[in-house]
Amino acid sequence: MKTSLVKLKSQLVSQSEKHCLESCSNSASEEEPPGKRSISDDPEEEPPSRHSLFEVLEEKPSGKTATTRYRFFGDIPDSVWNDWKWQFRNRITRIGQLAKFIPLSAEEIAQLKLVTMRYPLSVTPYYLSLINPDDPDDPIRKQAIPSVLEMTMGSLGVEDPLGEREDTVVPGLVHRYPDRVLMVLTDICPMFCRHCTRKREWRHGGWVRTPAEVEAMLDYIRQHKTVRDIILSGGDPLTLSTRHLEDVIRRLRQIKHIEIIRIGTRFPVVLPQRIDNELCTMLSKYGPIWLNTHFNHVREITPEAAEACDRLVRSGVPVNNQSVLLRGVNDSIEAQMALCHGLLRIKVRPYYLFQCDEVQGTEHLRTPVEVGVQIIEGMRGHTSGLAVPTFVIDLPNGGGKVPLQPNYILSQTEAELVLRNYEGRTFHYRNPAKPACPEPAAEVLCPTGSAAANSPQQAAAKLG
Ligand code: SF4
């Protein structure tokens, strides 16, 4: 799509991004990696610093073939390539850098520079190496490389579709459900996924919660004894040093009513080298810890990613996958089947398939809801149930997750259901009679609407 620069510029201004436009309009604007301001300079202790080594990369000969890694990064030895801090420091954050790897016209370069003023770019050399640079429709590319459509369709959607701001009880802590809270420890990610629900945070410069802020979050959790489940999120919490992360996890584990800790991270996909022995050894001390990650396409399941997941599983950390349904990336039965079979092969359970949230700047990647339902219908029965994720919509304004399934009930009476199976064949299924409710002791289990059990909550309360 050819959109004039003038039109794009006017859209930027009309969307009240004057501040960004001014602050980014100097020549160094794209040279600033997102989030540089509040990041520690100590590469050992906090998100690794971002001294650019790109000059080294730019001088490397290309065309070594085999994989895009060797084509672009052929002279980077394995010991450096597999150092996650090197990868992190050398993220591609400028369109000028990107154009050395991905063919972009002069017009595209100019357009994408404007797009990144609003929605910055960040992609690890590792993830970049998974992209086929010669295919503009490459499904890996669509997740990492900005598109002018983020701006031209930018009037659709909202900044905070899940209403997380309203449920924030202390800075960084989202408490929506009685028994679980979300701890947002940083807004820094190794990659900025173009479909991210928290895209609004990218412009805030990169921060890590201060010790005082973490203490305030822990205090709140200590005082709320109904909370049994903590989700460490971000940004990406594995951006923190292992020592820093351990400090938070250890203090959480000292709180008696905390049963499980979950970590939401895309590192196994975009920078699997982060999942090293040091991290896994640390995590293994504080179980049960569950890790939810975010593979969207089978080509992301590389030997490095497989090794990362294997290391986690062997450390006692189960790994689940939460993919997002994305137009042109994984919006077909074949793509989802390949992804989910690949996940099972590396011992990762396909958990959720999310309808892409209604986030500003992502409309071009969203699919009609019925696409997700059709995909589930095309998988259910055609492969093992373990390979079929639950398709969900995360409702706007904190409404929570709603699972969507194909409808297999053709008709229903008290006595019988007529069901269709995955092949379209029809089956009659006798419906067992509802129990009578003669005994007071049994009334709590009676589903006939007696005064004893008006709701599942009341029934559960009576059952203790
Ligand atoms: S890793 Fe997660 S939080 Fe970070 S940009 Fe990607 S989707 Fe968003």
Side-chain angles (χ1 to χ4, degrees):
M1 175 180 291
K2 292 192 187 253
T3 305
S4 76
L5 294 180
V6 173
K7 191 175 168 196
L8 265 178
K9 275 182 181 164
S10 72
Q11 279 176 334
L12 275 166
V13 175
S14 70
Q15 290 172 29
S16 304
E17 292 303 319
K18 287 182 182 166
H19 170 72
C20 176
L21 200 54
E22 285 158 13
S23 64
C24 298
S25 61
N26 60 58
S27 60
S29 61
E30 281 221 327
E31 311 217 8
E32 290 281 339
K36 188 176 182 181
R37 283 190 295 275
S38 62
I39 291 177
S40 162
D41 287 337
D42 182 349
E44 290 302 311
E45 290 311 309
E46 278 313 329
S49 63
R50 299 159 187 206
H51 311 297
S52 176
L53 296 180
F54 237 89
E55 297 72 27
V56 177
L57 302 179
E58 287 167 4
E59 289 166 8
K60 297 303 168 195
S62 61
K64 280 200 171 179
T65 68
T67 70
T68 311
R69 174 193 162 184
Y70 293 107
R71 182 166 155 191
F72 295 132
F73 304 102
D75 282 5
I76 303 295
D78 282 355
S79 59
V80 175
W81 180 259
N82 291 323
D83 175 354
W84 77 271
K85 291 174 184 173
W86 179 88
Q87 289 273 344
F88 199 97
R89 281 195 296 269
N90 285 283
R91 289 171 297 155
I92 293 88
T93 57
R94 290 179 288 144
I95 297 300
Q97 292 173 326
L98 183 67
K100 297 183 191 307
F101 302 99
I102 306 280
L104 296 171
S105 68
E107 184 179 15
E108 284 172 317
I109 289 172
Q111 287 174 342
L112 295 188
K113 281 185 175 177
L114 288 171
V115 174
T116 54
M117 286 181 186
R118 183 172 171 84
Y119 298 122
L121 163 73
S122 176
V123 54
T124 58
Y126 165 80
Y127 197 81
L128 187 79
S129 77
L130 305 186
I131 295 174
N132 175 0
D134 302 320
D135 179 6
D137 292 323
D138 181 74
I140 310 299
R141 173 185 178 142
K142 283 177 189 285
Q143 298 180 62
I145 306 305
S147 163
V148 71
L149 297 173
E150 293 175 47
M151 297 302 301
T152 55
M153 300 178 79
S155 60
L156 296 166
V158 292
E159 282 214 320
D160 179 16
L162 305 186
E164 290 178 334
R165 284 185 189 127
E166 282 80 64
D167 291 321
T168 299
V169 286
V170 297
L173 198 70
V174 180
H175 192 182
R176 175 172 298 156
Y177 306 102
D179 70 334
R180 50 203 187 273
V181 295
L182 184 77
M183 283 181 88
V184 181
L185 296 173
T186 175
D187 73 342
I188 302 170
C189 291
M191 184 172 102
F192 285 150
C193 314
R194 307 321 293 178
H195 54 278
C196 179
T197 296
R198 301 199 180 111
K199 216 165 169 166
R200 65 184 185 278
E201 301 287 350
W202 295 354
R203 298 190 303 275
H204 295 163
W207 45 259
V208 175
R209 292 289 170 205
T210 63
E213 287 173 326
V214 172
E215 186 53 36
M217 287 192 255
L218 291 169
D219 260 350
Y220 180 94
I221 295 166
R222 286 184 197 110
Q223 288 162 23
H224 289 77
K225 298 204 172 0
T226 56
V227 176
R228 45 169 286 283
D229 181 352
I230 305 288
I231 302 157
L232 300 180
S233 183
D236 199 311
L238 296 193
T239 305
L240 303 184
S241 69
T242 300
R243 199 177 75 175
H244 188 161
L245 195 63
E246 178 168 15
D247 183 57
V248 175
I249 293 175
R250 187 183 60 247
R251 291 158 79 195
L252 281 169
R253 271 282 162 251
Q254 288 166 353
I255 303 173
K256 293 245 176 327
H257 53 272
I258 299 308
E259 294 175 15
I260 64 166
I261 296 170
R262 289 186 275 171
I263 297 175
T265 174
R266 215 179 175 201
F267 266 97
V269 184
V270 300
L271 185 40
Q273 293 85 353
R274 171 68 181 103
I275 315 297
D276 55 16
N277 283 331
E278 183 196 17
L279 176 71
C280 290
T281 302
M282 184 276 282
L283 295 176
S284 70
K285 292 192 282 180
Y286 299 99
I289 292 180
W290 293 66
L291 189 140
N292 287 337
T293 191
H294 179 170
F295 288 90
N296 283 331
H297 194 274
V298 68
R299 274 184 30 221
E300 295 168 334
I301 304 175
T302 62
E304 291 93 335
E307 193 180 325
C309 294
D310 183 62
R311 200 170 273 148
L312 286 163
V313 172
R314 286 175 190 274
S315 304
V317 179
V319 185
N320 291 299
N321 191 60
Q322 305 188 159
S323 64
V324 179
L325 185 56
L326 297 171
R327 183 189 297 271
V329 174
N330 56 15
D331 56 340
S332 69
I333 296 166
E334 295 73 28
Q336 284 293 333
M337 199 80 100
L339 170 65
C340 294
H341 287 171
L343 290 170
L344 290 182
R345 282 196 296 274
I346 62 166
K347 295 176 271 186
V348 174
R349 180 198 162 205
Y351 177 31
Y352 281 139
L353 171 61
F354 279 105
Q355 170 72 8
C356 185
D357 290 331
E358 201 184 341
V359 187
Q360 250 176 19
T362 66
E363 192 65 22
H364 61 295
L365 293 169
R366 301 181 73 232
T367 53
V369 172
E370 50 271 30
V371 171
V373 177
Q374 285 161 4
I375 286 172
I376 299 301
E377 179 154 16
M379 295 179 76
R380 177 69 64 195
H382 298 273
T383 187
S384 136
L386 204 56
V388 184
T390 302
F391 178 50
V392 292
I393 294 184
D394 215 342
L395 293 176
N397 304 316
K401 297 180 186 67
V402 172
L404 299 181
Q405 290 291 318
N407 184 15
Y408 294 103
I409 302 178
L410 299 178
S411 67
Q412 181 174 9
T413 65
E414 269 198 26
E416 182 186 74
L417 287 86
V418 181
L419 302 167
R420 68 177 175 89
N421 78 348
Y422 72 101
E423 300 164 306
R425 292 164 60 205
T426 302
F427 295 82
H428 294 255
Y429 186 84
R430 183 179 62 79
N431 199 16
K434 291 174 182 170
C437 308
E439 301 297 329
E443 65 184 359
V444 72
L445 297 174
C446 175
T448 55
S450 76
N454 293 327
S455 70
Q457 290 79 8
Q458 287 171 317
K462 290 189 179 199
L463 285 168

